[in-house]
């Protein structure tokens, strides 16, 4: 082959490589995926908001800015709206669904058996998903984090803070199965400690004031679990319980800030972050949610609202309680 032919062949090869590069682009850029994440949050209140923010912040950090698109939808406390929201996520081809609170998780579970689902702010997955033999994993396209604090320790707080109380009213939303799960356990533990208990369920936000009024008239103190409807109505609860001088021990920090005197609290922002790490393993590393164990909150802290406790004449706060500011 003469020099001219060699040069011509080299030139053709170079042009071919350039053409391929211009068509295919940078292979690293082309391989980068933008993940579509549908986020369904049952209702807006401090705890769920913190979990959602923790999830978004951490997943953005893990995937990289610009590599993830969030579609955050709030169901305003309505389970039927949760179903509408997650069905839209399924129709739009979401890569993963983030379900914040039990009703959101149940709606997502009904909507798809294929798209991975990560839940958070779920008290008990077996109860939420009607799993009779719980092994720590769902065996389905679902995994996530739980917000269950040690209920025995929450019950024991009544002895620490309210040793003279006789009857404890347990307030919860009857349409939230995980709330009933907590109430049943706490009631049993309180009875063991020598208290009389009575349950006061309410159907929805419209019933909160009347039910709390009835409970305050009959009881010395109240317990409210990690209940989303209660969390969204703490001002109403406080407006009834505070003038009646009835102390409330709450299942989570947001409810405690709004109407309680004390709580054994988790960090919802932190469990949102853990949920994001689980989502990353599914999206990037191919982890199977059916085999991923549900993770539980760590680093729980006893907290109390000093101003509210003082107003109720509760000054015997033991060591180990951190002060919490009332809303």
């Amino acid at each position: 082959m003469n020099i001219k032919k060699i040069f011509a062949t080299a030139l053709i090869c170079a042009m071919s490589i350039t053409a391929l590069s211009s068509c295919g682009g940078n292979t690293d850029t082309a391989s980068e995926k933008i993940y579509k994440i549908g986020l369904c949050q049952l209702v807006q209140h401090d705890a769920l908001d913190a979990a959602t923010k923790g999830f978004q912040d951490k997943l953005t950090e893990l995937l990289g800015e610009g590599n993830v698109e969030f579609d955050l939808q709030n169901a305003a406390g309505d389970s039927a709206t949760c179903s509408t929201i997650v069905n839209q996520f399924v129709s739009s081809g979401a890569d993963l669904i983030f379900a914040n609170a039990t009703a959101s998780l149940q709606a997502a579970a009904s909507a798809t058996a294929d798209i991975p689902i990560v839940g958070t702010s779920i008290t008990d997955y077996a109860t939420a998903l009607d799993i009779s033999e719980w092994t720590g994993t769902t065996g389905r396209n679902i995994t996530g984090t739980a917000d269950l604090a040690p209920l025995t320790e929450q019950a024991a707080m009544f002895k620490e803070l309210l040793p003279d109380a006789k009857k404890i009213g347990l307030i919860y939303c009857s349409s939230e199965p995980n709330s009933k799960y907590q109430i049943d356990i706490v009631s049993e533990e309180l009875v063991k400690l020598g208290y009389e208990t009575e349950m006061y369920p309410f159907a929805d936000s419209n019933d909160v004031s009347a039910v709390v009024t009835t409970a305050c008239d009959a009881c010395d103190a109240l317990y409210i679990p990690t209940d989303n409807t209660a969390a969204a109505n703490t001002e109403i609860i406080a407006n009834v319980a505070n003038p009646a001088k009835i102390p409330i021990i709450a299942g989570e920090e947001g409810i405690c800030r709004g109407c309680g005197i004390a709580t054994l609290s988790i960090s919802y922002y932190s469990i949102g972050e853990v949920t994001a790490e689980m989502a990353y393993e599914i999206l990037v590393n191919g982890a199977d949610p059916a085999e991923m164990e549900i993770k539980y909150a760590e680093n729980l802290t006893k907290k109390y609202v000093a101003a509210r406790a003082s107003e109720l004449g509760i000054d015997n706060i033991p060591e180990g309680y951190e002060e919490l500011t009332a809303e």
Side-chain angles (χ1 to χ4, degrees):
M1 185 180 290
N2 61 35
I3 296 298
K4 288 184 179 180
K5 285 185 178 180
I6 292 172
F7 178 78
T9 301
L11 182 60
I12 290 170
C13 289
M15 292 173 65
S16 297
I17 292 170
T18 302
L20 286 171
S21 297
S22 64
C23 291
N26 183 296
T27 54
D28 291 338
T29 303
S31 64
E32 278 191 355
K33 176 180 174 63
I34 297 177
Y35 295 94
K36 296 180 180 179
I37 312 297
L39 300 92
C40 181
Q41 181 173 317
L42 174 61
V43 67
Q44 185 172 8
H45 63 69
D46 289 349
L48 299 191
D49 291 350
T52 294
K53 182 166 175 35
F55 178 81
Q56 290 180 293
D57 289 350
K58 189 66 177 181
L59 195 57
T60 299
E61 174 192 324
L62 292 171
L63 293 175
E65 192 78 40
N67 294 330
V68 58
E69 293 180 354
F70 296 111
D71 183 1
L72 173 57
Q73 300 291 327
N74 192 299
D78 183 52
S79 57
T81 303
C82 287
S83 296
T84 301
I85 290 169
V86 295
N87 282 325
Q88 290 173 347
F89 294 158
V90 173
S91 298
S92 64
D95 294 301
L96 180 139
I97 295 173
F98 169 78
N100 193 347
T102 300
S104 300
L105 182 75
Q106 291 171 329
S110 296
T112 179
D114 301 314
I115 297 173
I117 299 166
V118 290
T120 196
S121 311
I122 314 296
T123 302
D124 182 66
Y125 280 78
T127 300
L129 299 172
D130 195 24
I131 300 173
S132 57
E133 295 184 9
W134 181 247
T135 62
T137 61
T138 67
R140 302 168 57 177
N141 59 318
I142 301 168
T143 190
T145 55
D147 63 353
L148 182 63
L151 297 174
T152 300
E153 292 181 36
Q154 288 190 351
M157 293 172 73
F158 282 89
K159 277 296 184 187
E160 290 181 339
L161 302 174
L162 306 166
D164 297 327
K166 304 297 182 186
K167 184 175 181 179
I168 311 299
L170 300 104
I171 310 290
Y172 70 101
C173 181
S174 57
S175 63
E176 297 189 35
N178 280 342
S179 296
K180 182 62 163 60
Y181 171 86
Q182 296 170 77
I183 288 293
D184 286 342
I185 294 175
V186 171
S187 178
E188 183 179 331
E189 293 299 322
L190 288 171
V191 170
K192 290 178 184 177
L193 293 171
Y195 292 102
E196 179 186 354
T197 66
E198 186 168 347
M199 299 183 187
Y200 293 90
F202 55 85
D204 54 37
S205 298
N206 297 323
D207 296 337
V208 171
S209 181
V211 169
V212 174
T213 298
T214 300
C216 286
D217 289 342
C219 301
D220 302 309
L222 304 179
Y223 172 77
I224 302 175
T226 55
D227 182 287
N228 292 297
T229 309
N233 289 276
T234 55
E235 184 176 356
I236 292 173
I237 296 170
N239 287 341
V240 175
N242 289 353
K245 302 295 184 182
I246 300 297
I248 297 171
I249 290 179
E252 59 93 2
E253 184 174 314
I255 295 175
C256 188
R257 283 184 184 275
C259 62
I261 61 161
T263 184
L264 177 60
S265 183
I266 69 168
S267 167
Y268 277 82
Y269 185 89
S270 293
I271 64 169
E273 289 184 304
V274 173
T275 312
E277 291 169 352
M278 299 174 81
Y280 178 85
E281 289 300 315
I282 294 167
L283 293 168
V284 177
N285 295 327
D288 182 358
E291 299 177 357
M292 297 174 73
E293 289 195 358
I294 301 302
K295 295 190 177 182
Y296 293 83
E298 298 178 352
N299 303 319
L300 292 98
T301 307
K302 288 182 177 179
K303 298 184 179 182
Y304 77 106
V305 178
R308 193 173 289 132
S310 180
E311 288 174 6
L312 296 173
I314 302 167
D315 300 316
N316 58 326
I317 307 298
E319 291 186 7
Y321 279 76
E322 294 183 5
E323 190 169 335
L324 187 65
T325 304
E327 286 185 345

